[in-house]
Amino acid sequence: AQTVTQSQPEMSVQEAETVTLSCTYDTSENNYYLFWYKQPPSRQMILVIRQEAYKQQNATENRFSVNFQKAAKSFSLKISDSQLGDTAMYFCAFMKHAKGGSEKLVFGKGTKLTVNP
Amino acid sequence: DADVTQTPRNRITKTGKRIMLECSQTKGHDRMYWYRQDPGLGLRLIYYSFDVKDINKGEISDGYSVSRQAQAKFSLSLESAIPNQTALYFCATSDLGLAGGSDTQYFGPGTRLTVL
């Protein structure tokens, strides 16, 4: 069974600075997706970024980028130029990329990020 | 994501009552999911459906049932609510991805359910 571990329950960063959230996962699969979702106080689950395991290039979305290390099973999220609106819980998630099966998202327990003014 | 809506947004009920949570989507996706979120546990899958005639149990389906009324609608029912079903419930949808598997899942705004 796949597991996702986020080792930092809480983090804080000053506005305009850069912060990196860590995520490791355990799987025997070769083809899969990895995601970062953001959950602000409004509780909405918002997709931040996704990475296909077969792609070597790290995904980027504006101020958000990932460092995907497949061999190390590591998938960290870097937030540049942090903004107050980035304050939220961040969840790392894994999903098999294959036909059949539940294809469920397996979530980590989350990292609570606070951006301070 | 406004393309996935859930009703109600908040609900307080009593033990033993039957409750239905509804999910609608305008994304045109075939695949729909129900998750629950408990503090400190992340999200866990309750049921999922790949089309109107295909419904499957997730990891925590006991005490829940679902109905896929149409491609765009997927309802979750608690036949006899109990206090440990107090949680935040999310509906999600996805398209068909490469290799026949699911693509990215997009979530509704969530329903906060409290069972007294």
Side-chain angles (χ1 to χ4, degrees):
Chain A
Q2 290 81 18
T3 59
V4 176
T5 302
Q6 294 179 248
S7 59
Q8 306 149 313
E10 294 192 37
M11 295 188 71
S12 62
V13 64
Q14 292 300 121
E15 194 174 8
E17 293 186 348
T18 295
V19 64
T20 298
L21 309 183
S22 300
C23 173
T24 58
Y25 58 96
D26 185 24
T27 185
S28 59
E29 301 289 334
N30 192 47
N31 295 315
Y32 49 88
Y33 291 113
L34 292 162
F35 304 88
W36 279 98
Y37 283 90
K38 166 185 176 180
Q39 187 176 39
S42 66
R43 78 192 186 203
Q44 176 82 49
M45 290 291 287
I46 301 167
L47 177 69
V48 175
I49 200 165
R50 84 172 199 180
Q51 175 81 42
E52 290 95 333
Y54 67 87
K55 290 186 178 179
Q56 291 186 336
Q57 186 173 6
N58 290 322
T60 62
E61 286 289 344
N62 301 312
R63 297 183 295 107
F64 299 89
S65 61
V66 297
N67 183 5
F68 173 48
Q69 301 290 328
K70 190 173 183 179
K73 296 180 182 176
S74 172
F75 183 61
S76 60
L77 175 70
K78 185 172 82 170
I79 305 174
S80 303
D81 186 25
S82 297
Q83 300 176 359
L84 296 178
D86 295 334
T87 292
M89 282 289 289
Y90 286 81
F91 291 94
C92 179
F94 169 100
M95 185 171 73
K96 287 194 298 183
H97 183 201
K99 191 173 183 178
S102 71
E103 298 165 2
K104 67 178 182 180
L105 282 166
V106 178
F107 286 87
K109 294 186 176 182
T111 296
K112 183 178 181 181
L113 176 67
T114 302
V115 180
N116 298 309
Chain B
D1 192 323
D3 299 323
V4 184
T5 58
Q6 292 183 234
T7 56
R9 294 295 311 277
N10 295 281
R11 181 71 183 268
I12 300 174
T13 191
K14 294 181 179 179
T15 298
K17 294 292 186 181
R18 184 178 188 274
I19 296 297
M20 179 180 285
L21 309 182
E22 299 185 338
C23 176
S24 296
Q25 54 111 348
T26 58
K27 299 183 78 68
H29 290 167
D30 285 327
R31 299 175 172 219
M32 299 185 73
Y33 309 79
W34 276 104
Y35 291 86
R36 72 177 269 176
Q37 184 181 22
D38 297 281
L41 292 180
L43 278 73
R44 293 180 292 165
L45 183 65
I46 306 172
Y47 269 95
Y48 63 102
S49 170
F50 286 173
D51 64 42
V52 175
K53 297 180 181 180
D54 181 5
I55 293 177
N56 305 278
K57 293 181 178 180
E59 59 181 312
I60 53 164
S61 59
D62 288 348
Y64 301 94
S65 62
V66 291
S67 173
R68 185 80 183 268
Q69 301 95 324
Q71 187 211 30
K73 296 183 182 295
F74 193 35
S75 300
L76 175 72
S77 293
L78 288 67
E79 298 301 326
S80 179
I82 56 177
N84 75 3
Q85 292 178 312
T86 293
L88 186 56
Y89 289 84
F90 285 101
C91 174
T93 75
S94 77
D95 209 344
L96 184 63
L98 299 175
S102 293
D103 209 295
T104 302
Q105 294 183 24
Y106 296 92
F107 287 82
T111 294
R112 171 78 66 189
L113 177 66
T114 302
V115 183
L116 301 176

